[in-house]
Amino acid sequence: MTWITMDRASGTPLFRQIYAHFRKAILQGEMKSGTALPSTRELASALHVSRNVVVEAYEQLFAEGYIESRHGSGTYVADGTFLDLARHALPSIPLAAMTSSVGTAHADLIDFRHGIPALNQFPRKLWGQLAQRICADTSDEAFGYGKPEGSTELRAVLAQYLLRTRGVICEPEQLIITTGATQAINLIAKLLLPGGKEIIIEDPITKEIHTLFSLPGTTLSPVPADDQGMMTHLLPTDGKPCFIYVTPSHQFPLGGVLPIQRRVQLIQYASASDCYIVEDDYDSEFRYEGAPVSSLQGLDPDRVIYIGTFSKILSPALRMGYLILPRSLVETARGLKWLTDLHTPSLEQLILARFIEGGYLDRHVAKMKKLYRKRRDYLIQALVHTFADKVTILGYSTGLHLVAEFTGAVFTPALLAQIEQSGVRVYPVSVHALDKNKHRKRIILGYGNLSEERIAEGIRRLGSIMQ
């Protein structure tokens, strides 16, 4: 029995090691049905462990059906336990596939990732205090299953907040609380794409949209974007789109704001095509020149589906977003939400409702706008100081990122790897484009979660490679 290797330095209990060995041998067919196992005394003696350890391992195997006891005869491998692991094993996913990195060679990596707020500025103490009050004061029903569309309290508060700050026109009944914007987009796909249809999207647009909407039978029709957002005069004249996906208040990634003329043209086009417009308003609260731009939804609430998220305002860890639908789609969307995950976590919704109602969100946004404007200005100064007239800066009026275009540079995989080797991670615009040739000189630089010192050092390192 010495063929069972025992690792006493491992954190895994000895009985689990014995159990795991037999389980693997049985599943793989090395120990076939009817094969006798050694007695507990014999195995304990051979492995120099307590008999109780072996007994516990055997009891676990017996409880899970791997072995059976025959009265007066011993313990044997049970029938029906062989599994062809070579055929049934799931493919392993490389760790690199779970990250967005080009490489991880530098220990002191400065990551200009976009869409990440200043994580150290989350109002932890206040949030904790509100959470304590909610847990102490709320009714017992709040600890049970919630409504798929979200808590009544949060939807009522959010409808008022969005009307006041973004010009969104809706009743609380039109709101569905989601676990982030990604779930909202998934719900839209399930809601509007049965059987597969045409979707008009901006180009470039976040690469996740390409994935989420690339369903069997679905066609993505890209419309180029410039420094003012989607070029609506290039909307296709033929076809029958199911919906148009846009980021009008802060085009991702180029940063343009869709002017009213193009908004009118877009709504007129959607009306003539009898399709919906999906407005993704992911970070427009942080506008540094004037007040935030009013929503597209406010111009045509019956045709525009509005998506919002608290990942950029507060923290991605909250996993809290929302979807505002025309009334005709609400009931079906609630059913799809219920089938997806029953409901978004209830206590976090109540905390967020109290956070908004108490005016804390307004104060937090005002505070963060000052911080992000300072970091944005510092990044622009660092780019100009390092690259002078060889850099053009785009899309810097809103949000947590800007785009830098470099004269004479092409961001190939080799150049990106070289930049990362120097300890800086940047993100090419071309990754998000269907027509990649137009954007090969451009990179996205997020600054929300970087201090001024890290920004300065990151641009210095970038300059040492680019120049």
Side-chain angles (χ1 to χ4, degrees):
M1 294 294 111
T2 54
W3 39 267
I4 299 181
T5 302
M6 306 300 294
D7 184 1
R8 287 170 169 79
S10 168
T12 304
L14 296 179
F15 91 90
R16 295 293 300 182
Q17 295 183 41
I18 298 171
Y19 157 83
H21 170 85
F22 280 115
R23 177 181 180 274
K24 180 180 178 181
I26 292 169
L27 286 172
Q28 292 183 340
E30 296 172 9
M31 297 182 67
K32 302 184 184 304
S33 298
T35 301
L37 273 69
S39 70
T40 55
R41 291 184 186 278
E42 180 185 3
L43 184 57
S45 176
L47 298 178
H48 304 288
V49 298
S50 164
R51 180 169 174 259
N52 289 337
V53 171
V54 180
V55 169
E56 191 171 2
Y58 278 23
E59 287 178 346
Q60 185 67 34
L61 290 165
F62 178 78
E64 296 182 20
Y66 291 102
I67 62 176
E68 59 187 10
S69 179
R70 300 177 186 175
H71 183 67
S73 176
T75 304
Y76 298 84
V77 176
D79 292 334
T81 53
F82 170 65
L83 175 65
D84 187 351
L85 292 178
R87 180 165 58 88
H88 289 284
L90 293 173
S92 60
I93 301 175
L95 183 60
M98 302 180 189
T99 69
S100 59
S101 66
V102 178
T104 55
H106 202 284
D108 183 30
L109 185 69
I110 299 175
D111 192 346
F112 283 95
R113 181 176 176 181
H114 49 84
I116 306 295
L119 301 179
N120 64 351
Q121 296 296 313
F122 181 79
R124 300 186 188 193
K125 183 177 180 180
L126 174 59
W127 194 267
Q129 292 171 344
L130 293 175
Q132 188 174 23
R133 293 175 199 166
I134 291 294
C135 288
D137 300 340
T138 195
S139 65
D140 294 342
E141 287 72 17
F143 292 87
Y145 288 106
K147 300 176 181 178
E149 65 269 25
S151 78
T152 302
E153 293 90 334
L154 177 57
R155 288 184 292 116
V157 169
L158 193 52
Q160 295 177 1
Y161 173 81
L162 292 172
L163 175 62
R164 174 169 55 84
T165 62
R166 305 292 296 110
V168 171
I169 300 172
C170 73
E171 297 296 328
E173 292 73 22
Q174 296 173 256
L175 269 156
I176 293 180
I177 306 301
T178 63
T179 49
T182 300
Q183 186 184 60
I185 295 169
N186 267 314
L187 287 174
I188 290 170
K190 294 176 181 178
L191 189 66
L192 300 181
L193 292 176
K197 296 181 180 179
E198 178 188 6
I199 305 170
I200 295 176
I201 61 171
E202 300 168 325
D203 189 27
I205 195 65
T206 176
K207 62 181 179 179
E208 285 78 9
I209 293 300
H210 304 165
T211 303
L212 289 169
F213 289 154
S214 294
L215 303 174
T218 300
T219 300
L220 297 181
S221 298
V223 175
D226 60 13
D227 60 356
Q228 291 187 316
M230 177 181 276
M231 300 171 70
T232 50
H233 66 282
L234 296 179
L235 285 162
T237 56
D238 54 358
K240 189 71 174 177
C242 180
F243 62 86
I244 306 166
Y245 181 90
V246 289
T247 52
S249 294
H250 186 216
Q251 200 282 328
F252 184 89
L254 301 183
V257 176
L258 199 67
I260 186 59
Q261 293 81 4
R262 294 190 186 186
R263 293 179 183 229
V264 169
Q265 189 173 5
L266 182 61
I267 290 173
Q268 290 174 340
Y269 179 91
S271 178
S273 302
D274 193 24
C275 70
Y276 291 102
I277 299 170
V278 176
E279 177 181 10
D280 190 347
D281 194 9
Y282 63 98
D283 71 354
S284 64
E285 289 84 0
F286 302 120
R287 180 166 174 80
Y288 310 117
E289 277 78 38
V293 178
S294 295
S295 69
L296 182 66
Q297 190 269 359
L299 297 176
D300 194 347
D302 293 330
R303 191 167 298 280
V304 179
I305 299 171
Y306 185 89
I307 299 172
T309 177
F310 290 96
S311 294
K312 313 299 186 293
I313 306 176
L314 288 168
S315 166
L318 291 181
R319 303 311 310 136
M320 195 81 73
Y322 51 92
L323 187 59
I324 298 176
L325 296 158
R327 293 182 184 276
S328 59
L329 299 176
V330 170
E331 284 305 316
T332 304
R334 286 181 179 180
L336 290 171
K337 169 65 170 158
W338 182 85
L339 289 172
T340 301
D341 61 359
L342 294 184
H343 64 93
T344 302
S346 300
L347 296 181
E348 284 79 357
Q349 293 185 57
L350 296 177
I351 298 168
L352 181 58
R354 193 75 59 87
F355 190 80
I356 298 173
E357 192 173 29
Y360 303 117
L361 182 60
D362 287 318
R363 290 198 284 274
H364 181 74
V365 169
K367 171 187 173 183
M368 300 312 295
K369 280 180 68 173
K370 293 179 181 178
L371 176 65
Y372 295 145
R373 181 188 290 111
K374 187 177 180 181
R375 291 181 176 180
R376 179 206 62 169
D377 292 346
Y378 200 84
L379 174 57
I380 291 174
Q381 292 169 10
L383 285 167
V384 172
H385 175 76
T386 303
F387 297 100
D389 59 352
K390 294 182 179 180
V391 64
T392 301
I393 301 169
L394 310 170
Y396 52 83
S397 65
T398 305
L400 304 178
H401 75 270
L402 54 77
V403 170
E405 180 177 338
F406 296 86
T407 302
V410 175
F411 288 94
T412 63
L415 177 56
L416 292 169
Q418 189 178 2
I419 292 171
E420 184 142 343
Q421 287 290 335
S422 75
V424 179
R425 182 175 297 158
V426 298
Y427 298 83
V429 172
S430 60
V431 169
H432 303 281
L434 293 177
D435 184 357
K436 299 184 183 300
N437 291 327
K438 291 183 178 180
H439 305 285
R440 300 181 68 198
K441 298 180 179 181
R442 296 172 171 178
I443 56 173
I444 306 167
L445 296 172
Y447 50 82
N449 195 38
L450 289 176
S451 66
E452 294 179 11
E453 292 76 17
R454 299 287 281 174
I455 290 172
E457 176 60 18
I459 299 304
R460 186 196 67 77
R461 294 179 187 178
L462 180 64
S464 68
I465 299 298
M466 298 285 293
Q467 295 177 342

